[in-house]
């Protein structure tokens, strides 16, 4: 059960020596050393004292392997809407200890970023509720409107606040050092186009198409034309994409997004249906969730509810996922629509 590794991780996170821990528990430093080296285990009567000292439960001392603990934290972030501060702090201490041990550093740093983003999302959801309460009390409160927009990820009118030049510069430097990492081009292209830096986007699209030969090349070629206002040219490019890459469900899904952005909602729904039909099992639920959004925009609440239920059914049938935040969030959307 690797209890010794757990004690060592807790001790290091607390910043105490083996000698200091031994003094608190009234055992020898050699005993603590043997626990941590897995040469011996603490007497069962010491476990409550160890748990109290480190601020954890006795069950927490019986730790999982590093891989399983990593997966547990990842699943917690995926499956929990809110995480207690104590659990979040505990996860952070474990991740930081693993980083110091050079255990899967890229994965651990990513997990730490995920943890912080999860915290931020929870705080934004709370901020949304507070801002809405403020507007119920005073519909004209300008500050509350501002905070609601920030909490819900609304568009910011000021260019200086919404442009992405720092992120763009980071990815430009990243691609100079790692020119073959194709996903980085897409993150860069999306932000360049959003900032209407089309000349730079043209150059990075050319470089991207040298390392990736999938549907993404014509997709982004069309998106660049579309953002420039050359809609007819964009759709010509996309028709070629569907002809050449029609077996890839993401090509159809991407066209659904295009049509939704053009308010061509019936065509968007048709594209999402084709994406779902072309997707291999287990299927992702992006298509039915996008359908639900379109249906709600069109005022079709029953259609939106049916689309969310379809996503729930796919999670159950394709992924055997019937509980957790992934499913709960969809059920909350259904409940919200039923209450309208």
């Amino acid at each position: 059960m690797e209890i010794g590794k757990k004690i060592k991780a807790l001790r290091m996170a607390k910043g105490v020596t083996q000698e200091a821990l031994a003094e608190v528990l009234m055992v020898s430093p050699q005993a603590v050393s043997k626990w941590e080296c897995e040469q011996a285990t603490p007497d069962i009567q010491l476990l409550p004292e160890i748990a109290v000292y480190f601020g954890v439960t006795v069950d927490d001392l019986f730790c999982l392997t590093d891989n399983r603990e990593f997966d547990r934290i990842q699943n917690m972030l995926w499956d929990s809407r809110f995480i207690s501060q104590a659990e979040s702090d505990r996860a952070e201490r474990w991740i930081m200890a693993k980083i110091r041990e050079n255990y899967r550093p890229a994965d651990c740093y990513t997990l730490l970023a995920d943890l912080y983003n999860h915290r931020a999302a929870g705080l934004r959801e709370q901020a949304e509720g507070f801002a809405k309460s403020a507007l119920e009390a005073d519909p004209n409160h300008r500050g509350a409107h501002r905070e609601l927009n920030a909490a819900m990820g609304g568009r910011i009118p000021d260019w200086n606040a919404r442009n992405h030049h720092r992120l763009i510069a980071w990815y430009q430097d990243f691609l100079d050092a790692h020119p073959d990492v194709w996903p980085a081009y897409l993150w860069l292209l999306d932000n360049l186009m959003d900032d209407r830096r089309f000349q730079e986007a043209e150059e990075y699209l050319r470089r991207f198409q040298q390392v990736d030969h999938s549907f993404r090349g014509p997709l982004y070629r069309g998106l660049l034309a579309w953002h420039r206002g050359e809609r007819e040219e964009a759709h010509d490019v996309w028709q070629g994409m569907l002809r050449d890459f029609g077996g890839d469900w993401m090509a159809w899904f991407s066209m659904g997004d295009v049509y939704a952005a053009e308010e061509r909602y019936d065509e968007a729904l048709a594209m999402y249906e084709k994406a779902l039909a072309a997707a291999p099992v287990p299927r992702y639920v992006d298509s039915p969730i996008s359908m639900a959004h379109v249906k709600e925009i069109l005022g079709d609440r029953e259609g939106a509810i049916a689309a969310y239920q379809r996503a729930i059914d796919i999670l159950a049938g394709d992924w055997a996922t019937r509980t957790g935040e992934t499913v709960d969030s969809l059920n909350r959307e259904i409940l919200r629509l039923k209450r309208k």
Side-chain angles (χ1 to χ4, degrees):
M1 287 181 280
E2 300 190 352
I3 190 172
K5 288 185 178 181
K6 183 69 171 183
I7 291 173
K8 181 178 180 180
L10 290 168
R11 178 179 63 76
M12 293 179 68
K14 196 175 179 71
V16 298
T17 63
Q18 290 181 340
E19 290 76 11
L21 176 59
E23 184 176 350
V24 169
L25 300 174
M26 292 187 290
V27 298
S28 69
Q30 291 78 12
V32 175
S33 177
K34 287 182 178 181
W35 299 343
E36 294 185 358
C37 293
E38 300 292 330
Q39 295 175 357
T41 57
D43 188 286
I44 193 170
Q45 294 180 344
L46 283 175
L47 297 183
E49 293 183 50
I50 296 172
V52 168
Y53 180 72
F54 288 118
V56 299
T57 68
V58 172
D59 286 343
D60 288 334
L61 295 175
F62 295 91
C63 67
L64 305 170
T65 65
D66 287 345
N67 285 342
R68 290 181 66 83
E69 178 66 9
F70 184 99
D71 291 343
R72 185 194 71 79
I73 295 172
Q74 181 69 86
N75 289 333
M76 176 183 69
L77 296 175
W78 286 341
D79 294 338
S80 302
R81 184 181 181 188
F82 299 112
I83 299 172
S84 71
Q85 188 64 50
E87 182 59 45
S88 180
D89 290 345
R90 209 159 29 237
E92 182 176 358
R93 286 195 298 269
W94 184 87
I95 298 169
M96 292 301 296
K98 295 298 111 179
I99 289 173
R100 287 192 292 270
E101 295 173 13
N102 202 36
Y103 165 78
R104 296 170 59 182
D107 289 337
C108 280
Y109 277 118
T110 301
L111 187 62
L112 193 60
D114 193 359
L115 176 64
Y116 271 75
N117 277 325
H118 193 284
R119 287 179 186 171
L123 291 171
R124 282 195 299 272
E125 188 169 340
Q126 293 177 61
E128 175 188 338
F130 293 140
K132 287 178 177 177
S133 295
L135 290 170
E136 288 175 5
D138 180 1
N140 294 308
H141 198 294
R142 293 178 63 185
H145 284 288
R146 181 185 63 246
E147 298 307 328
L148 179 62
N149 188 74
M152 298 188 72
R155 181 172 175 80
I156 300 174
D158 300 335
W159 175 87
N160 65 299
R162 73 169 186 266
N163 79 83
H164 312 296
H165 76 274
R166 290 178 59 237
L167 181 58
I168 287 170
W170 191 92
Y171 269 114
Q172 287 173 330
D173 290 342
F174 178 88
L175 284 169
D176 285 343
H178 309 283
D180 295 329
V181 181
W182 67 262
Y185 287 97
L186 303 187
W187 294 108
L188 175 57
L189 285 166
D190 285 332
N191 285 284
L192 284 170
M193 289 188 292
D194 197 48
D195 281 7
R196 303 187 66 80
R197 292 167 62 171
F198 298 137
Q199 290 184 349
E200 292 167 272
E202 187 75 44
E203 171 59 22
Y204 280 99
L205 178 58
R206 183 190 64 79
R207 290 170 55 179
F208 169 67
Q209 290 187 281
Q210 292 176 351
V211 298
D212 182 274
H213 306 288
S214 71
F215 77 94
R216 298 177 187 87
L219 172 64
Y220 273 79
R221 174 63 59 192
L223 285 172
L224 183 52
W226 192 86
H227 279 283
R228 282 175 163 159
E230 300 160 355
R231 302 295 172 87
E232 185 174 346
E233 177 184 337
H235 280 278
D236 286 343
V237 173
W238 287 327
Q239 287 305 310
M241 175 189 73
L242 293 177
R243 182 183 62 249
D244 297 336
F245 299 98
D248 192 322
W249 73 275
M250 281 296 298
W252 297 101
F253 180 80
S254 299
M255 282 308 301
D257 288 351
V258 167
Y259 285 130
E262 292 184 334
E263 299 180 283
R264 296 165 63 175
Y265 295 124
D266 288 341
E267 291 163 285
L269 291 170
M271 292 295 108
Y272 292 136
E273 284 287 1
K274 289 185 176 181
L276 196 57
V281 176
R283 296 163 294 175
Y284 293 105
V285 293
D286 305 69
S287 294
I289 291 175
S290 296
M291 292 180 204
H293 294 171
V294 170
K295 292 286 188 180
E296 186 171 1
I297 290 170
L298 292 173
D300 181 3
R301 281 188 295 168
E302 291 303 317
I305 290 171
Y308 281 125
Q309 186 60 54
R310 195 173 178 185
I312 292 171
D313 293 342
I314 290 173
L315 288 170
D318 290 19
W319 299 91
T321 298
R322 297 176 176 83
T323 59
E325 176 59 14
T326 304
V327 177
D328 292 346
S329 63
L330 300 175
N331 279 316
R332 284 198 302 274
E333 291 300 307
I334 291 175
L335 184 61
R336 175 183 62 82
L337 289 165
K338 286 182 176 179
R339 287 174 173 171
K340 272 194 170 184

